Amino acid sequence: MTHPDEKPWILGLTGGIGSGKSAAAKCFSDLGVDTVDADHAARWVVEPGRPALEQIAAHFGKGVLQTSGELDRGALRKLIFENPEQRRWLEALLHPLINQEIVSHLAKAKSPYAILVSPLLVESGQYRMVQRLLVIDAPAHLQIERTMLRDSSSQEQVEAILKVQIQREDRLRHANDVLVNDRDHAWLSSEVERLHHFYLTLRGGQS
């Protein structure tokens, strides 16, 4: 347990598509570390009844809503995909809300350190919210293989996503720790456990 007056420090966890970022996050969470997923926060802020959804519908029209009143992500993606200006409008609306959501969830963390899992940790500037950054890395051929298995997407699709996602070098340059996830799950799990014990010895995320 943390000292009552000591707030948990925040570890950022990121990695490219198919790197095993979510699997690693689950290993940490199984060890009792509180984790917040930025992707989940991004879904929460646009739930029906939340102000963001009303603003999106007012801006883009009712076509971005499903009949259930929920956001039609596909329709919205189409609208912003072809229009960088609209994408910027949406990001300007959502990013601060997503960050607030993340901050409020992290504030509830009870473990000695907490984890913010985000695929866009570096790109979105969310890395400023963390004291230490762990990158899950994997050779590109493995990323492609895993993603094709998981999403049954084609190699071209995965390679296109890899290109759009921040270049590995840039991600690695921000990293304090890198875990190369190129073996099986048992190995990943033991590596996470090793890091976990190391993290428990850190104060404020710095060695």
Side-chain angles (χ1 to χ4, degrees), residues 61-102:
K62 293 276 184 269
V64 295
L65 297 180
Q66 301 174 18
T67 45
S68 62
E70 286 180 57
L71 182 63
D72 183 338
R73 288 169 190 285
L76 182 62
R77 205 173 294 128
K78 245 201 213 76
L79 285 172
I80 62 171
F81 188 70
E82 296 150 9
N83 192 326
E85 217 165 281
Q86 296 293 8
R87 191 178 69 234
R88 281 194 290 272
W89 180 88
L90 187 67
E91 285 172 355
L93 169 72
L94 294 182
H95 282 172
L97 295 173
I98 292 168
N99 287 351
Q100 279 167 13
E101 195 80 41
I102 289 169

Side-chain angles (χ1 to χ4, degrees), residues 27 31 179 183-197:
C27 295
L31 293 167
L179 200 172
R183 299 196 220 167
D184 60 7
H185 189 76
W187 182 83
L188 175 67
S189 189
S190 72
E191 284 299 288
V192 165
E193 199 162 333
R194 188 179 59 79
L195 279 168
H196 174 62
H197 291 299

